[in-house]
Amino acid sequence: MSNISIIGTGNMARTLGARAIAGGNTIEVMGRDESKAADLAKALGGGATTGEWGAAPAGDIVILALLYDGVVPAVAHYADALAGKVIVDICNPFNSTFDGLAHRVETSIAQEVAKVAPASASVVKAFNTVFRHVLEKGRPDVFIAGDNAQAKAGVEAFIESLGLRPLDVGGLKMAHWLEGAGVVTVGLANHGVGNLDFALSITELLV
């Protein structure tokens, strides 16, 4: 199983933490508000611990469970404390009307993270196409993107420990299109599906 550090104390941090512990992983929670981090670790149980904001995370895999505008600044703040880590960005940088991306160029938050992270760190995009409550109760496919095959293998093993299926979409530049897929899920929720009780998935034809 995996040693996971979660930076963030919101709903996605709680959901991922709970599912990770149920899958036999060890969890460390880190947040700017250390009392919130301590409360979340206590609520998660399962031996979850807390770490100091900005200090070197204990986990080999570091999940950034933050709002998109706080992700890159947090990575810049941690700086060399993230050396050698696998950094997982799960955010969606939606615009104010939730029908497009906040950035107007062909990049992604994950790619921007890679620019400020230590050279020895590896960045993987994952979980951004799954609504929180579907992640909590369902068995959705989890699409991932990244440039380092070993890092992606570690993230895939973690995803499998959650009882979910990881699907590799390619290099980190594909994170831009995964963020676009996040926009598609919101469009489907508001129009074609009409609710949040679904996830994008792959169906393979049996010939």
Side-chain angles (χ1 to χ4, degrees):
M1 297 303 167
S2 304
N3 296 322
I4 307 295
S5 292
I6 300 176
I7 299 178
T9 57
N11 289 332
M12 279 297 285
R14 182 179 297 272
T15 298
L16 275 170
R19 190 142 195 171
I21 287 174
N25 302 281
T26 62
I27 296 297
E28 174 189 52
V29 181
M30 310 177 85
R32 288 184 183 275
D33 187 328
E34 293 187 8
S35 65
K36 286 185 178 180
D39 287 345
L40 177 53
K42 182 178 180 180
L44 291 174
T49 61
T50 57
E52 181 182 350
W53 177 263
D60 302 312
I61 296 175
V62 180
I63 298 174
L64 304 173
L66 302 165
L67 296 177
Y68 82 86
D69 56 355
V71 171
V72 174
V75 173
H77 176 73
Y78 272 79
D80 288 342
L82 295 172
K85 304 294 185 180
V86 177
I87 303 170
V88 180
D89 165 40
I90 70 171
C91 79
N92 276 310
F94 295 141
N95 64 15
S96 60
T97 51
F98 291 84
D99 60 358
L101 298 173
H103 46 68
R104 298 181 179 273
V105 295
E106 192 172 314
T107 187
S108 65
I109 299 300
Q111 288 167 280
E112 297 306 307
V113 164
K115 293 177 182 178
V116 301
S120 61
S122 300
V123 180
V124 175
K125 187 81 176 185
F127 294 104
N128 75 294
T129 61
V130 183
F131 292 117
R132 182 195 61 78
H133 73 285
V134 176
L135 180 62
E136 180 182 18
K137 299 178 180 180
R139 296 178 63 88
D141 289 340
V142 179
F143 302 111
I144 70 170
D147 290 334
N148 185 295
Q150 184 176 357
K152 286 197 286 188
V155 174
E156 288 174 343
F158 169 62
I159 292 169
E160 288 171 348
S161 79
L162 309 183
L164 309 178
R165 181 173 69 158
L167 292 171
D168 186 352
V169 305
L172 194 61
K173 68 179 182 180
M174 292 297 290
H176 172 76
W177 304 106
L178 284 183
E179 291 179 355
V183 177
V184 170
T185 62
V186 174
L188 287 168
N190 290 334
H191 302 285
V193 178
N195 61 65
L196 302 174
D197 300 325
F198 72 94
L200 302 182
S201 64
I202 299 299
T203 301
E204 299 179 61
L205 295 178
L206 300 178
V207 179

